[in-house]
Amino acid sequence: MTITSPHLGSPSVWTDARLLYALEEVVENELNRHLKVARDWMPHEYVPWGDGRNFPGFFEDGVAWEKEQSKVTDIGRIALVVNLLTEDNLPSYHHEIATLFGRDGAWGTWVHRWTAEEGRHGIVMRDYLLASRAVDPDQLERFRMAHMSEGFESDNRHSMLHSVAYVAFQELATRISHRNTGHQSGDPVCDRMLARIATDENLHMVFYRNLLKAAFEIAPDLTMQAVRDVVVGFRMPGHGIPGFERAAAQMAIGEVYNLRIHHDDVLQPVLRFLKVLQIDGLGPEGLRAQEELGLFMDGLDSEATRFDEKLATRKARMAARAEA
């Protein structure tokens, strides 16, 4: 795909390859910074192995899973399954970013490092869920097979800038989802595990956010359009999970992830840090994208307020029923 920017002298032409080359030094600097602050951790140290028991199948003493065995709340089980199935698609995510960013130089080093770090998340979550019997293991495996058999294709695979913009928001969204799942799980062991994962996700967000900042400096109009497109059309990578819409609705009501959280805790922090709505000197296309982004955020805030009001009404109704 060929894209142009009036800010670097018409008819200067940006291609994804030229953008990758232009941002290579930034990637190297961010990679070095990341490696200095990231802390290695052992997934097995976060798993309550002593709680584990054999499941039926090949073991004569195997015990079938029952809901009463789970220490986590109902919303905790729903969110944990969604979060783990999202992590399970790591092979597809790796393929996407390796294809877009390449396997050479600083870009390639980051692609492989990111994949290795993300791999821990799926490992520790599955081990925790099985050892603690938090969720139905048979259903979890059926969902995993269905989800991964469908594969994953990013909405933003057509553009390197769109992909960078997307992951800047998505990594933060994943961090928030994991952190809130831990808070709502009712199990301190689960909360501690997800807090560790959330720390990684935050570092990944910082990497991509800083890369997006550099992109604004070299191609502001194009980057503004990419951010506008990503924010307006944002979808979590787990949207293809079986029953995702129902699970997402339950997670919204359970205050794991909803419109208010998406607006206040995911979109706004990144936009505010980058001062996206305050950038000046844009060309016509960039300015239009900035204005459309501002209007969308205002509309999303209003929509989130309506959701807040409905949620408050629901809570009051349920409290009244409990007291009756």
Side-chain angles (χ1 to χ4, degrees), residues 147-287:
H147 184 43
M148 293 194 69
S149 294
E150 287 293 321
F152 172 82
E153 287 189 343
S154 170
D155 296 332
N156 303 289
R157 62 188 181 280
H158 63 287
S159 160
M160 173 267 188
L161 275 180
H162 282 72
S163 295
V164 170
Y166 176 74
V167 289
F169 293 105
Q170 181 267 321
E171 292 283 3
L172 182 52
T174 303
R175 174 211 166 194
I176 295 297
S177 181
H178 282 312
R179 200 69 193 94
N180 288 344
T181 297
H183 292 327
Q184 300 288 350
S185 70
D187 181 10
V189 175
C190 179
D191 191 25
R192 181 170 61 245
M193 171 195 65
L194 292 176
R196 177 59 258 185
I197 292 174
T199 298
D200 280 0
E201 302 290 7
N202 196 63
L203 291 178
H204 297 165
M205 179 276 293
V206 170
F207 179 95
Y208 288 118
R209 184 195 64 189
N210 292 351
L211 190 56
L212 190 59
K213 181 176 184 291
F216 266 115
E217 293 172 357
I218 67 171
D221 285 333
L222 297 173
T223 306
M224 185 66 73
Q225 292 171 68
V227 169
R228 183 266 321 272
D229 293 345
V230 164
V231 169
V232 170
F234 185 88
R235 295 195 297 174
M236 290 292 276
H239 59 80
I241 292 170
F244 177 79
E245 295 299 330
R246 184 170 185 269
Q250 292 170 310
M251 290 168 67
I253 293 172
E255 298 181 270
V256 172
Y257 200 95
N258 56 38
L259 284 177
R260 176 53 61 199
I261 293 169
H262 183 60
H263 178 277
D264 290 1
D265 299 338
V266 176
L267 299 181
Q268 283 284 31
V270 176
L271 295 175
R272 187 165 49 243
F273 178 87
L274 298 175
K275 297 181 173 60
V276 172
L277 297 179
Q278 287 75 51
I279 292 175
D280 55 17
L282 295 167
E285 292 299 319
L287 183 59

Side-chain angles (χ1 to χ4, degrees), residues 10-269:
S10 183
S12 295
V13 176
W14 281 114
T15 63
D16 277 2
R18 290 183 178 182
L19 283 166
L20 288 167
Y21 180 78
L23 290 169
E24 177 95 25
E25 184 176 352
V26 179
V27 172
E28 183 175 3
N29 291 337
E30 287 302 312
L31 172 63
N32 290 334
R33 181 197 55 75
H34 176 84
L35 293 175
K36 288 179 180 178
V37 299
R39 182 171 66 86
D40 276 345
W41 56 280
M42 302 299 134
H44 55 267
E45 294 179 356
Y46 288 81
V47 179
W49 298 106
D51 294 345
R53 285 173 286 171
N54 290 335
F55 289 102
F58 294 103
F59 297 99
E60 294 182 0
D61 62 344
V63 178
W65 183 85
E66 295 181 2
K67 183 178 179 181
E68 292 71 23
Q69 298 166 359
S70 177
K71 296 179 180 179
V72 301
T73 60
D74 289 343
I75 187 59
R77 280 193 299 277
I78 293 167
L80 280 163
V81 170
V82 170
N83 289 356
L84 175 55
L85 291 175
T86 300
E87 299 286 356
D88 274 334
N89 249 338
L90 181 60
S92 289
Y93 307 149
H94 174 83
H95 174 76
E96 290 271 346
I97 65 171
T99 300
L100 274 167
F101 300 155
R103 294 178 172 84
D104 300 321
W107 281 104
T109 302
W110 167 253
V111 165
H112 296 305
R113 174 71 189 198
W114 175 87
T115 302
E117 291 184 4
E118 287 285 342
R120 287 183 176 136
H121 304 168
I123 290 169
V124 71
M125 289 182 69
R126 174 163 280 97
D127 286 348
Y128 164 80
L129 293 181
L130 296 180
S132 68
R133 293 182 171 247
V135 303
D136 182 345
D138 292 345
Q139 183 187 60
L140 180 66
E141 178 60 11
R142 286 192 292 267
F143 280 169
R144 187 190 72 85
M145 286 296 295
H147 184 43
M148 293 194 69
S149 294
E150 287 293 321
F152 172 82
E153 287 189 343
S154 170
D155 296 332
N156 303 289
R157 62 188 181 280
H158 63 287
S159 160
M160 173 267 188
L161 275 180
H162 282 72
S163 295
V164 170
Y166 176 74
V167 289
F169 293 105
Q170 181 267 321
E171 292 283 3
L172 182 52
T174 303
R175 174 211 166 194
I176 295 297
S177 181
H178 282 312
R179 200 69 193 94
N180 288 344
T181 297
H183 292 327
Q184 300 288 350
S185 70
D187 181 10
V189 175
C190 179
D191 191 25
R192 181 170 61 245
M193 171 195 65
L194 292 176
R196 177 59 258 185
I197 292 174
T199 298
D200 280 0
E201 302 290 7
N202 196 63
L203 291 178
H204 297 165
M205 179 276 293
V206 170
F207 179 95
Y208 288 118
R209 184 195 64 189
N210 292 351
L211 190 56
L212 190 59
K213 181 176 184 291
F216 266 115
E217 293 172 357
I218 67 171
D221 285 333
L222 297 173
T223 306
M224 185 66 73
Q225 292 171 68
V227 169
R228 183 266 321 272
D229 293 345
V230 164
V231 169
V232 170
F234 185 88
R235 295 195 297 174
M236 290 292 276
H239 59 80
I241 292 170
F244 177 79
E245 295 299 330
R246 184 170 185 269
Q250 292 170 310
M251 290 168 67
I253 293 172
E255 298 181 270
V256 172
Y257 200 95
N258 56 38
L259 284 177
R260 176 53 61 199
I261 293 169
H262 183 60
H263 178 277
D264 290 1
D265 299 338
V266 176
L267 299 181
Q268 283 284 31

